[in-house]
Amino acid sequence: MSAANDPYDPTEVAALAPESLDGAIEAARVEFEAAADLDALAAVRPAHVGDRSPVRLAKREISAFPPWTRPYAGKRVNVAIAAVAAAYDQRAVALTDERDARMLAGERVDVTLPADRRPAGARHPIPAMQDRMADIFLAMGYDIAEGPEIETAWHNFDALNTGPDHPSRSLADTFYVEPAGSGVVLRAQTSPVQIRAMLERTPPIYVVCPGRVFRPDEPDATHTPVFHQIEGLAIDAGLSMAHLRGTLEHFARLLFGTDTRLRWRPHFFPFTEPSAEPDILCFVCHGESVGNPDRPCRTCKSEGWIEWGGCGMVNPRVLRTCGIDPTVYSGFAFGMGIDRSVMFRNGLADMHDLVEGDVRFSAAFTGQA
Amino acid sequence: MRVVMSWLRDYVDLPPAMTAEQLGAAFTRLGFEVEQIESPGADVTGPVVIGRVLDIEELTGFNKPIRSCRVEVGQAAPRGIVCGATNLAVGDLVVVSLPGAVLPGGFAIAARPTYGHLSDGMICSPRELGLGEDHAGIMVLPGSPTPGEDAIEVLHLRDEVIDLDVTPDRGYAESMRGIAREASHALDLPAHDPADLTVLAADDAGWPARIDDATGCDRISLRTVTGLDPAMPTPLWMRSRLIHAGMRPISLAVDVTNYVMLEIGQPMHAYDRSRLAGGIGVRRARSGERLTTLEGIDRQLDPDDMVVSDDSGPIGLGGVMGGASTEISAATVDVVLEAAHWDPPSIARAVRRHRLPSEAARRFEHGVDPQVAGPALARAAALLAEHGGATAVTGYTVVGEPPAPQPIRLELDLPGRISGAGYPAEVVIRRLEQVGCTVRVDGAEGADGADGAGDVDRAECDVTPPSWRPDLLAPADLVEEVARLEGYDAIPSILPTVPPGHGRTVVQRRRSRVAVALADSGLVEVVSYPFMSTGSLTTLGFQPADPASRAVRLRNPLANTEPLMRTSLLPGLFTALRRNVGRGLRDVAVFEIGCAYLQRADQPVTPAVPVGKRPTPAQIAALDAALPDQPWHAAAVLAGGRDPRGWWGTGRPADWSDAVAAAQVAAGAMGAQVIPRAAAYGPWHPGRCAQLRVGARVVGHAGELHPRVISAMDLPARTCAMELDLDAIGYADSPADPPAVSAYPPVLLDVALVVAADTSAADVDSALRDGAGELLESSRLFDVYAGDQLGAGRKSLAYTLRLRAPDRTLTAEQATGTRDAAVAEAARRTGAALRT
């Protein structure tokens, strides 16, 4: 207390003189501004903000005032305390920003350094393409059906209306399991899965069967003894070739682009009748490379159309073998090469790349899944 | 089928401006895909003329025969031409390319000095003219062309050939007769049938014939032709058609049979009558019989072979190839022409058995019109008469009667329903009649037309196919004919309304997740061949009792060195690894997901199951039982660095633990946790092999490979691998059971336990967990130490235990109590002591 309590004139208390409070604020501002860094600021802080700072001391004097004058005095002191605190905070923020900027600049790194700390993996393009094709049919409501890769000749041939002397049964066209007469083959097509699907399910049946198939072809640029197909089968009342066409066009457009055009030629397969082979109008040259040696197209080999697979209406004999009444149900089936689809979709010239397991090859397909 | 355009024009009045490309496109729409279009002779230009050899001077002193000829070429002065061929004589008519001519392959002819003479042109061989591969000598022409005439015209050198892919069900289209019919369908033009000929009735003067096995041959027809002048050459137009059609001219009699086969579709064989011993019989071969076929190969016959025989035994492999003993020769005067109808499957088996494909056999296999032998023999006899001076008035034997085509019951609206194009009945009838069918609509005789088209559409009919269409057997076959002729392009495109599906099965989802997880953990997927060598089973160290030793063996492997189907995915991955390393890559981590194939211990044989009706459940089960086990595996192989070297520091080589980690990643993607334990198995290093279990089931192995395997398989040192049987892991699809996640603070405590060096960390870890009980949230081994302080044969395992209660903050006493219980259990089970 600087003076007696009573009687008392507030204007007589020196610490509360307007010039004293203004001076204290100004002095604080000057010292805060003069602080070069946060440490210097911290050093001058107690003198202006601490308990013994002029503004705090002034606040203590208030109790000496007559009660009716205290709110007025208190307000003036609080304004002064706030002003000092604001000056401090302002300077503290500025100095903190400066310090952070300095520190962060010092922590700068070369962000272009390689960041491949973990080796990169990749999926193979064939299973990736297989999943992509299956997804298209899953979205339409199809299920994915599966069957064994080593299969009975009954499923691979007999049930598919392939006669006992059909050339595809020869040792040159199908792998057989020992001993002679085992009746067991490496499936030469995914079509036996059709038979399994029809034996295991009841119509309506809508399935696709992607998988690995085998034929004893010496590997070359366009052949490999092990390759992959996706088979489709739909059995329902009232299905026609129009539905087959609609389905394949939808499939082709989702896979190769919305402007994909399909043509189909009559063909022959024992398990479908009528049968057809769908061709895709080359989506690279759109047929313009035909007879145009100046603009050759390696995707369609300048033939304009790309052979894509086989299809047709399921032969009623096949339906009967699977216990399905062909007078009630009809159906269509189709099969496409997955490896071939990868090849022409990606412009690959040589099948060897698909089977050699060179990690650089698979890695190139990352992001296409 | 090579379709010669000029030949086709004999039967179909093709528009003059029609190109081979346009015609080919029309054939393609009907189901005959164009393989290629050729324009033989288009690359021959300039003066190529007929010449007559005036004289020949032999030039000596060269290491091969060289002759200088004077050749009259229709100009004032003859030309001097040097020639290496020996098959020409004075007076021969030859083909001469004069200077300025260009022959196939851009071969430009110019006057040039050679062998000391000026050669003022070239005398041509057939190959030099683009007429086949014959280059044995120059071409000596038959007939009487005049020197100086344009040889391109005389030889019919220029033509267009459309090579069509004929599917095996359409044997009729392997002749100009069938192709003309298809062209008429495609272009809506009338066609003339080359088999539409007057055929004499069979008579008594023919060579005797007998059929002993009608299942293999239901008709044989023989036509005798006498007085053939063996010196008469094949006319040039016929030669060029044969050549353009892909056949080699041989002699008039042989060429005529081939020509008629190409024209009408009936393969024929010509016998020298003087070499036949008695009547001709048709039968199966007898055990032990042999036959030397035309190309001079002595063959052991099979009792399933159909043969043509005479009193001397077999003289031909029926429908496939004739025998040498009765072959037409340069002295043949009297000929017996044979035209038979053979059973297609018998032919197919014989071709495969004797590896003897032929133009005739292919046609018989795909179906020859059983009624066309008469016209074909008439046509051949007429051609031999016209061009060979023969007489063919009598001598025609016909034995056997092929079955007539059976009518097919057809609902007239079926083609429209199956195609989706809704053809009116009259279109169906017209199209079927166009392909040669006879259509008899039910009640058609009584119909007055007032019933309206709707009734006709619902009507049924009997459709009798023509004799040349043995492929038309069922309504679906007729549907294809109508749809094909109306055009597949006219069929609308409709997406069917598919009922909701089930999405991927749990098996499919998991398999896919395993692949994604392994790829995301830095391994590269490969797809390899599933074949392996016999030796690799031993090399991989599979014991005989191991199911992995029961490999499926192929009868016809691609390579005799790899006759087995893989029982493990590792050999294929080793091959991929070797290839990558061979291409200079060092840090390689590859994986594959696929089937292994394991023969069952007592593999039953496949039962015979008929088709045409649904097999019984027992039959289906028996079929499946004949198949080997085919579990899905996932396997990975790692070599070189696993963590790459970089600016952050040195790299880390792949080791056994990376293989275990890969297995854990794969199993984790399946929702399973694999527990390792030390094992010695197969191709793995016995001290660095983890057997992997899920519960009590062994699901695979992982670790470093055995040095012996690494060396035998030529792999990089310290290569590591894992293989999992995904099916053994299982595809449980129960909902996850998440813990109540506690928000109370954890207590972290470190313990170091000293155990015997051969104690497995997994045992210590499970003891700690069991001893700590529910308060243990996790334990993590953060250090393994072995050193002098511990003494020999000891190691220290340091764990951080994270303890937490679900419902309260643990007190220090509770935490240490839990730790002590954990240590006590580890001490009890593994002899662990707290390290002090």
Side-chain angles (χ1 to χ4, degrees):
Chain A
M1 295 297 139
S2 61
N5 211 11
D6 186 37
Y8 193 71
D9 180 355
T11 58
E12 294 300 311
V13 177
L16 288 176
E19 56 274 26
S20 298
L21 288 174
D22 290 348
I25 294 168
E26 187 54 28
R29 279 201 184 116
V30 168
E31 285 215 26
F32 291 161
E33 285 304 319
D37 55 30
L38 285 170
D39 288 344
L41 185 64
V44 299
R45 183 176 186 274
H48 299 284
V49 181
D51 287 347
R52 304 210 57 83
S53 63
V55 286
R56 287 282 172 189
L57 289 173
K59 188 164 184 168
R60 289 194 200 171
E61 300 293 342
I62 290 174
S63 57
F65 282 60
W68 67 91
T69 60
R70 284 178 197 165
Y72 166 71
K75 189 176 172 192
R76 286 181 46 226
V77 172
N78 284 340
V79 166
I81 288 172
V84 171
Y88 176 82
D89 289 347
Q90 190 186 349
R91 185 58 182 158
V93 166
L95 288 174
T96 304
D97 286 352
E98 275 175 31
R99 183 202 61 188
D100 287 356
R102 215 165 36 242
M103 191 176 76
L104 294 178
E107 285 177 5
R108 179 195 171 90
V109 296
D110 177 1
V111 295
T112 68
L113 284 172
D116 51 349
R117 287 169 174 260
R118 292 181 46 181
R123 291 207 67 191
H124 191 273
I126 288 176
M129 173 64 99
Q130 184 168 311
D131 280 356
R132 186 191 180 99
M133 288 174 155
D135 281 340
I136 292 172
F137 286 97
L138 285 165
M140 281 193 259
Y142 284 59
D143 286 351
I144 303 176
E146 292 177 286
E149 294 174 358
I150 300 186
E151 181 57 288
T152 68
W154 188 86
H155 286 92
N156 194 70
F157 293 124
D158 300 27
L160 287 164
N161 194 37
T162 308
D165 295 306
H166 194 275
S168 65
R169 290 186 185 247
S170 74
L171 289 167
D173 288 319
T174 299
F175 284 113
Y176 280 82
V177 165
E178 288 277 21
S182 68
V184 178
V185 301
L186 305 193
R187 69 178 179 197
Q189 52 199 359
T190 40
S191 307
V193 189
Q194 278 185 37
I195 301 299
R196 291 183 173 274
M198 284 190 276
L199 289 174
E200 287 162 12
R201 299 160 193 243
T202 50
I205 298 168
Y206 289 86
V207 293
V208 284
C209 333
R212 190 191 275 249
V213 299
F214 309 83
R215 295 195 194 156
D217 291 328
E218 286 293 338
D220 63 23
T222 55
H223 292 87
T224 160
V226 183
F227 55 104
H228 302 75
Q229 289 182 333
I230 185 164
E231 188 92 0
L233 173 75
I235 305 288
D236 206 339
L239 285 182
S240 72
M241 294 173 80
H243 296 116
L244 168 59
R245 178 177 189 167
T247 303
L248 289 186
E249 284 181 350
H250 181 68
F251 183 28
R253 284 178 188 145
L254 288 184
L255 207 55
F256 302 113
T258 47
D259 57 348
T260 301
R261 266 186 61 202
L262 214 64
R263 115 185 143 172
W264 50 346
R265 293 174 281 105
H267 203 75
F268 170 72
F269 304 105
F271 34 94
T272 49
E273 188 76 34
S275 304
E277 279 193 343
D279 296 339
I280 296 169
L281 182 66
C282 179
F283 48 83
V284 173
C285 74
H286 304 285
E288 283 164 21
S289 65
V290 179
N292 191 352
D294 298 337
R295 288 188 52 195
C297 178
R298 76 173 180 172
T299 299
C300 67
K301 301 186 190 72
S302 299
E303 288 172 0
W305 294 93
I306 301 166
E307 283 188 29
W308 196 28
C311 63
M313 299 304 289
V314 180
N315 193 313
R317 276 170 249 180
V318 174
L319 293 178
R320 277 192 287 270
T321 297
C322 297
I324 293 172
D325 183 350
T327 64
V328 178
Y329 294 105
S330 56
F332 59 78
F334 54 85
M336 276 83 203
I338 296 175
D339 312 54
R340 261 184 68 72
S341 299
V342 171
M343 282 187 76
F344 59 72
R345 190 168 180 274
N346 296 93
L348 303 183
D350 197 326
M351 273 205 142
H352 285 111
D353 291 336
L354 287 171
V355 295
E356 285 188 334
D358 193 309
V359 296
R360 295 167 298 172
F361 180 74
S362 289
F365 287 83
T366 310
Q368 193 183 282
Chain B
M1 175 74 193
R2 293 172 60 85
V3 178
V4 181
M5 281 277 272
S6 67
W7 198 348
L8 182 60
R9 287 180 190 276
D10 285 358
Y11 317 115
V12 188
D13 199 9
L14 300 177
M18 172 162 276
T19 64
E21 282 76 14
Q22 288 166 333
L23 187 57
F27 279 127
T28 297
R29 282 194 294 276
L30 283 182
F32 301 92
E33 197 188 353
V34 175
E35 295 271 299
Q36 58 176 346
I37 292 177
E38 294 170 23
S39 305
D43 46 2
V44 178
T45 55
V48 181
V49 299
I50 303 298
R52 187 194 307 277
V53 180
L54 296 179
D55 54 45
I56 300 173
E57 178 197 351
E58 296 282 349
L59 305 181
T60 53
F62 300 104
N63 56 6
K64 58 179 183 174
I66 297 294
R67 305 161 127 197
S68 175
C69 310
R70 277 197 320 130
V71 185
E72 179 197 351
V73 292
Q75 294 167 343
R79 302 269 178 150
I81 298 175
V82 175
C83 177
T86 54
N87 69 324
L88 77 172
V90 171
D92 278 351
L93 289 166
V94 295
V95 180
V96 180
S97 318
L98 296 175
V102 179
L103 298 186
F107 183 20
I109 304 299
R112 60 190 181 93
T114 180
Y115 298 105
H117 287 67
L118 181 77
S119 190
D120 199 9
M122 184 178 82
I123 305 177
C124 303
S125 74
R127 190 173 76 184
E128 284 157 349
L129 292 167
L131 285 174
E133 286 307 298
D134 190 356
H135 195 52
I138 59 97
M139 197 170 179
V140 178
L141 301 181
S144 52
T146 316
E149 265 191 272
D150 182 355
I152 292 169
E153 294 290 321
V154 174
L155 293 172
H156 303 270
L157 212 53
R158 287 204 185 122
D159 212 320
E160 282 189 297
V161 178
I162 308 172
D163 193 355
L164 292 181
D165 183 10
V166 176
T167 52
D169 57 327
R170 298 183 183 276
Y172 69 94
E174 298 197 51
S175 67
M176 294 309 296
R177 181 195 187 206
I179 289 295
R181 179 171 281 279
E182 290 295 334
S184 93
H185 298 157
L187 307 169
D188 215 13
L189 292 170
H192 158 67
D193 183 351
D196 185 10
L197 299 171
T198 309
V199 178
L200 298 176
D203 57 42
D204 300 337
W207 196 259
R210 197 179 67 249
I211 293 177
D212 291 338
D213 187 334
T215 64
C217 174
D218 54 24
R219 172 174 280 178
I220 182 164
S221 308
L222 301 176
R223 180 94 195 222
T224 309
V225 176
T226 56
L228 182 71
D229 177 355
M232 290 297 278
T234 303
L236 287 172
W237 60 266
M238 188 184 287
R239 288 175 59 112
S240 76
R241 282 187 174 181
L242 288 172
I243 288 165
H244 293 327
M247 300 197 79
R248 198 163 54 91
I250 292 166
S251 66
L252 179 64
V254 173
D255 293 349
V256 162
T257 59
N258 284 335
Y259 184 81
V260 174
M261 173 179 74
L262 292 171
E263 184 181 57
I264 296 183
Q266 170 73 56
M268 272 183 282
H269 187 68
Y271 300 93
D272 183 330
R273 194 176 72 170
S274 70
R275 300 170 78 177
L276 285 172
I280 283 178
V282 172
R283 58 170 170 84
R284 301 274 170 191
R286 295 180 188 126
S287 190
E289 278 186 329
R290 303 189 74 85
L291 171 70
T292 301
T293 39
L294 276 179
E295 79 304 23
I297 295 176
D298 177 41
R299 298 173 186 274
Q300 169 83 51
L301 296 175
D302 184 278
D304 182 50
D305 289 336
M306 288 299 297
V307 295
V308 179
S309 65
D310 66 3
D311 295 349
S312 71
I315 56 171
L317 189 55
V320 179
M321 193 173 276
S325 67
T326 54
E327 190 183 358
I328 296 287
S329 73
T332 300
V333 175
D334 299 332
V335 172
V336 173
L337 296 171
E338 170 232 289
H341 185 246
W342 303 93
D343 170 50
S346 297
I347 297 288
R349 291 196 295 271
V351 166
R352 245 173 282 152
R353 207 156 33 226
H354 296 285
R355 292 197 177 84
L356 188 57
S358 70
E359 291 282 329
R362 192 179 72 241
R363 285 174 173 81
F364 283 123
E365 196 175 336
H366 296 168
V368 164
D369 182 351
Q371 303 298 341
V372 86
L377 289 171
R379 173 73 166 140
L383 285 168
L384 288 174
E386 184 182 351
H387 302 288
T391 24
V393 277
T394 59
Y396 179 32
T397 309
V398 178
V399 175
E401 185 56 47
Q406 292 302 301
I408 302 162
R409 195 78 184 144
L410 178 72
E411 296 165 42
L412 275 168
D413 68 345
L414 186 74
R417 275 193 281 128
I418 293 296
S419 68
Y423 311 120
E426 59 269 23
V427 167
V428 172
I429 295 167
R430 180 167 62 87
R431 290 305 191 183
L432 291 175
E433 286 177 344
Q434 233 175 346
V435 298
C437 296
T438 311
V439 182
R440 206 179 56 79
V441 181
D442 288 1
E445 299 89 336
D448 58 6
D451 292 348
D455 288 324
V456 177
D457 285 342
R458 275 205 297 279
E460 297 195 6
C461 61
D462 282 318
V463 180
T464 308
S467 58
W468 60 85
R469 292 299 302 269
D471 59 309
L472 301 182
L473 295 168
D477 303 326
L478 303 176
V479 171
E480 180 172 88
E481 288 307 287
V482 176
R484 183 173 75 89
L485 265 54
E486 282 293 296
Y488 278 11
D489 287 342
I491 293 170
S493 175
I494 303 169
L495 264 177
T497 309
V498 182
H502 302 85
R504 285 190 163 84
T505 64
V506 61
V507 176
Q508 290 157 356
R509 291 199 311 269
R510 296 279 162 80
R511 214 183 280 147
S512 185
R513 284 206 52 209
V514 170
V516 171
L518 288 172
D520 286 349
S521 70
L523 287 90
V524 177
E525 188 175 22
V526 300
V527 171
S528 57
Y529 289 159
F531 311 119
M532 64 183 209
S533 67
T534 319
S536 54
L537 287 177
T538 323
T539 309
L540 292 177
F542 295 129
Q543 298 304 307
D546 189 333
S549 286
R550 289 204 297 271
V552 174
R553 182 178 289 268
L554 294 178
R555 284 182 64 197
N556 52 337
L558 204 60
N560 287 325
T561 50
E562 293 193 326
L564 303 185
M565 296 301 289
R566 67 185 178 197
T567 60
S568 157
L569 308 195
L570 294 179
L573 288 171
F574 292 161
T575 304
L577 171 59
R578 263 197 313 274
R579 185 170 286 124
N580 280 290
V581 169
R583 291 176 181 178
L585 301 165
R586 287 194 200 141
D587 310 327
V588 181
V590 287
F591 76 96
E592 179 164 16
I593 294 174
C595 287
Y597 313 92
L598 309 171
Q599 194 75 269
R600 296 182 188 171
D602 51 345
Q603 189 77 62
V605 287
T606 322
V609 176
V611 294
K613 66 175 173 40
R614 187 186 166 88
T616 63
Q619 285 173 319
I620 294 174
L623 284 167
D624 284 340
L627 296 176
D629 285 329
Q630 300 174 54
W632 280 83
H633 282 200
V637 167
L638 305 100
R642 179 62 177 139
D643 290 344
R645 188 174 67 159
W647 53 268
W648 49 79
T650 57
R652 187 182 62 81
D655 65 23
W656 62 272
S657 69
D658 293 298
V660 175
Q664 283 169 340
V665 163
M670 303 268 294
Q673 195 190 358
V674 288
I675 308 294
R677 66 153 69 171
Y681 177 74
W684 280 277
H685 186 308
R688 296 181 174 186
C689 171
Q691 181 195 66
L692 304 171
R693 290 178 172 237
V694 171
R697 292 192 305 281
V698 176
V699 299
H701 294 83
E704 187 179 311
L705 291 174
H706 199 297
R708 195 190 59 230
V709 173
I710 286 174
S711 123
M713 292 279 180
D714 195 19
L715 304 176
R718 303 287 177 198
T719 297
C720 298
M722 74 89 178
E723 181 156 24
L724 284 176
D725 180 340
L726 301 183
D727 291 356
I729 290 174
Y731 306 94
D733 199 16
S734 48
D737 183 17
V741 175
S742 169
Y744 288 90
V747 177
L748 300 177
L749 293 172
D750 286 354
V751 292
L753 299 172
V754 177
V755 291
D758 61 356
T759 305
S760 92
D763 290 345
V764 176
D765 189 66
S766 67
L768 285 173
R769 284 166 189 277
D770 292 347
E774 289 179 350
L775 292 179
L776 181 67
E777 191 171 80
S778 74
S779 77
R780 183 160 186 89
L781 176 68
F782 66 86
D783 191 34
V784 179
Y785 169 77
D788 294 342
Q789 296 157 278
L790 296 174
R794 315 289 291 165
K795 67 181 174 186
S796 159
L797 305 174
Y799 291 86
T800 294
L801 307 180
R802 189 166 74 213
L803 308 176
R804 184 161 11 209
D807 53 355
R808 64 190 190 281
T809 301
L810 287 177
T811 63
E813 293 73 30
Q814 286 165 334
T816 49
T818 302
R819 180 196 61 191
D820 293 346
V823 172
E825 184 63 13
R828 191 180 70 77
R829 288 201 215 166
T830 65
L834 259 185
R835 188 175 171 199
T836 48

